[in-house]
C-alpha cells in the first residue's frame, strides 16, 4: 500500500492539523517563498515519489493568493512523481460563479476546475458546493461531502419542540429538507432576490413559521445580508427566535457585527471548513476534520466514500434497480 503524505497551504493549517490527527499521520512541511517581484515559489519538504499526496487548502480570503499556492503545490507534487494528487478543498469559493447569467460574464467555477486539472490534480475532495452542478465542471473524480449530519448532531442535543428548519432561498431548500428530516422537523423557505453582493430582498416565506422557533440553514454565510433579511421577514410573520447554522462561516465585512447584534438570534453554529473569524467568541464551531480524514482514508484504500452519507444524504444511497425497458 502506498504511503499517505499530507501537505497544507497557508489558508487553514489548523484544519489540516486536525485532519492529520484523525488520520494518524503527520502534516508534512511546505516552504512558501515570496520573491521581490511578488511571485510565489513552493517547495514540498517531504519525498512524494510514488506516494498518495493530499493537499489541504480551502479557497478563503485572500482567495486568489490561496488558489495560486494550491496550484503551485499541485505542480510541485506532480514534478516530484507523486502517484496520485488529491486537492482537499473544504471550501470551493468559485462555486458561486457557476453560470452565464449576464452578458460577457466569466464562469469562474469552470475556469478554476480547469486550472486545477491543468496543474496536475488527479482528484478533488470538497464539501457543500454552493452550486452542486460545479461538480460536473471537473474532468477528474470529485468527492463531494456534506456537513448536514455534523450540524444536525449539534441540534439533537437541544429542545426542538415547536421548531422549523428554514432555508433562506428555494435553491437551498432541498438540503434544508434533508436536514429537517434528520431532525424530524418541518421545513420552510424564503423567496429571495439578490440585488447585489450584500443586498437581497426576501418577499415571501413558503411554509408555516408563525409562533415557532427557527433553525436557519445556509451552505455559506459571507456578509450575512441574506440571513438578516430572512430574520426580519420571519419576525414580521410571528417567528419567535432563530438559531443560525452554516457549513462555511466566512463572515466577511460586517457579518459578525450584524449577527452578534440581531435580537432574534439565539446561537450561530458553523463548521471549521474555513478559519474562525476574529471577534466572534459566541460562535460555536463543529469540526468536519473527521469526515475529511475518513474520506481520505477511504480514497486511499479504494473504498466507497458514499457510505459516509448513509442515513444523511439520499443522493448517495446505493443504486436502485432500474425498470426494464
Amino acid at each position: 500500500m502506498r504511503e499517505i503524505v499530507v501537505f497544507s497551504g497557508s489558508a487553514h493549517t489548523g484544519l489540516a492539523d486536525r485532519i492529520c490527527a484523525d488520520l494518524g499521520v503527520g502534516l508534512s512541511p511546505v516552504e512558501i517563498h515570496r520573491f521581490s517581484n511578488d511571485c510565489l515559489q513552493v517547495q514540498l519538504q517531504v519525498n512524494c515519489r510514488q506516494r498518495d499526496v493530499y493537499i489541504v487548502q480551502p479557497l478563503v480570503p485572500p482567495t486568489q493568493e490561496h488558489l495560486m499556492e494550491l496550484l503551485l503545490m499541485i505542480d510541485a507534487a506532480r514534478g516530484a512523481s507523486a502517484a496520485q494528487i488529491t486537492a482537499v478543498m473544504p471550501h470551493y469559493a468559485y462555486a458561486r460563479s457557476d453560470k452565464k447569467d449576464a452578458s460577457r460574464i466569466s464562469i469562474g467555477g469552470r475556469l478554476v476546475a480547469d486550472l486545477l486539472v491543468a496543474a496536475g490534480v488527479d482528484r478533488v475532495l470538497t464539501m457543500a458546493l454552493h452550486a452542486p452542478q460545479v461538480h460536473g465542471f471537473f474532468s477528474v473524480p470529485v468527492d463531494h461531502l456534506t456537513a448536514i449530519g455534523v450540524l444536525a448532531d449539534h441540534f439533537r442535543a437541544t429542545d426542538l419542540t415547536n421548531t422549523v428548519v428554514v432555508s433562506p432561498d428555494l435553491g437551498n431548500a432541498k438540503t434544508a429538507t434533508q436536514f429537517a428530516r434528520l431532525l424530524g422537523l418541518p421545513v420552510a423557505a424564503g423567496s429571495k432576490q439578490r440585488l447585489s453582493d450584500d443586498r437581497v430582498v426576501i418577499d415571501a416565506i413558503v411554509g408555516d413559521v408563525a409562533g415557532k422557533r427557527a433553525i436557519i440553514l445556509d451552505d455559506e454565510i459571507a456578509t450575512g445580508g441574506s440571513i438578516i433579511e430572512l430574520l426580519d421577514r420571519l419576525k414580521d410573520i410571528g417567528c419567535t427566535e432563530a438559531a443560525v447554522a452554516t457549513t462555511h462561516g466566512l463572515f466577511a465585512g460586517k457579518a459578525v457585527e450584524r449577527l452578534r447584534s440581531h435580537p432574534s438570534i439565539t446561537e450561530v453554529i458553523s463548521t471549521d471548513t474555513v478559519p474562525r473569524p476574529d471577534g466572534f467568541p459566541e460562535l460555536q464551531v463543529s469540526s468536519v476534520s473527521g469526515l475529511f480524514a475518513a474520506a481520505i482514508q477511504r480514497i486511499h484504500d479504494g473504498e466507497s466514500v458514499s457510505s459516509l452519507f448513509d442515513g444523511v444524504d439520499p443522493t448517495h444511497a446505493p443504486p436502485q434497480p432500474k425498470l426494464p425497458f
Side-chain angles (χ1 to χ4, degrees):
M1 179 69 70
R2 294 190 297 261
E3 182 183 345
I4 292 178
V5 181
V6 182
F7 297 100
S8 175
S10 62
H12 198 356
T13 55
L15 176 60
D17 281 331
R18 290 188 286 275
I19 291 173
C20 286
D22 290 329
L23 270 173
V25 302
L27 181 61
S28 299
V30 178
E31 182 177 310
I32 301 175
H33 178 73
R34 187 183 300 274
F35 291 106
S36 57
N37 65 355
D38 203 39
C39 290
L40 294 173
Q41 183 185 66
V42 164
Q43 184 178 35
L44 308 179
Q45 301 290 298
V46 169
N47 180 23
C48 300
R49 186 175 297 274
Q50 293 307 304
R51 288 165 169 80
D52 285 352
V53 172
Y54 296 83
I55 302 172
V56 182
Q57 182 85 322
L59 296 186
V60 297
T63 303
Q64 282 57 246
E65 183 97 354
H66 291 144
L67 173 60
M68 194 64 197
E69 280 185 15
L70 176 59
L71 294 172
L72 290 171
M73 286 192 292
I74 293 169
D75 179 71
R78 179 175 64 173
S81 301
Q84 178 174 272
I85 304 167
T86 301
V88 182
M89 305 173 69
H91 177 54
Y92 187 81
Y94 278 94
R96 284 183 172 271
S97 179
D98 64 305
K99 56 186 175 295
K100 186 174 180 180
D101 51 6
S103 299
R104 298 172 297 281
I105 196 168
S106 59
I107 305 177
R110 175 60 185 267
L111 176 61
V112 171
D114 289 344
L115 288 171
L116 291 166
V117 174
V121 79
D122 296 299
R123 178 181 295 269
V124 172
L125 176 59
T126 188
M127 175 171 277
L129 290 170
H130 182 73
Q133 61 265 29
V134 171
H135 190 148
F137 289 172
F138 288 87
S139 57
V140 296
V142 176
D143 290 301
H144 185 198
L145 305 181
T146 177
I148 62 172
V150 173
L151 294 173
D153 286 342
H154 169 82
F155 288 101
R156 285 194 182 100
T158 65
D159 181 8
L160 297 178
T161 305
N162 203 33
T163 301
V164 59
V165 173
V166 183
S167 170
D169 55 71
L170 299 175
N172 191 56
K174 181 179 178 180
T175 301
T177 300
Q178 294 168 358
F179 180 71
R181 286 174 180 165
L182 292 178
L183 296 174
L185 298 175
V187 66
S191 174
K192 182 174 77 174
Q193 178 185 3
R194 181 168 292 279
L195 304 180
S196 66
D197 181 45
D198 62 348
R199 290 182 60 231
V200 301
V201 171
I202 295 177
D203 52 21
I205 303 291
V206 181
D208 181 17
V209 299
K212 296 184 178 181
R213 173 179 178 265
I215 299 176
I216 298 173
L217 179 72
D218 206 355
D219 65 305
E220 174 183 327
I221 297 178
T223 64
S226 297
I227 300 299
I228 299 302
E229 173 73 8
L230 178 60
L231 286 165
D232 292 342
R233 298 290 77 74
L234 290 173
K235 184 178 179 181
D236 290 343
I237 57 179
C239 185
T240 57
E241 60 183 36
V244 177
T246 185
T247 299
H248 309 300
L250 295 169
F251 304 115
K254 295 182 178 180
V256 171
E257 177 186 342
R258 285 171 161 178
L259 296 173
R260 292 188 69 191
S261 62
H262 200 284
S264 297
I265 295 179
T266 58
E267 62 176 334
V268 180
I269 177 172
S270 177
T271 75
D272 58 350
T273 57
V274 301
R276 186 188 184 102
D278 295 328
F280 202 171
E282 301 90 347
L283 177 67
Q284 301 183 59
V285 178
S286 292
S287 183
V288 291
S289 63
L291 272 177
F292 278 99
I296 289 172
Q297 191 64 61
R298 287 171 182 271
I299 291 168
H300 181 68
D301 295 340
E303 296 178 353
S304 170
V305 173
S306 63
S307 60
L308 291 173
F309 303 101
D310 287 349
V312 175
D313 187 348
T315 303
H316 301 274
Q320 300 300 307
K322 294 183 179 180
L323 293 174
F325 289 103

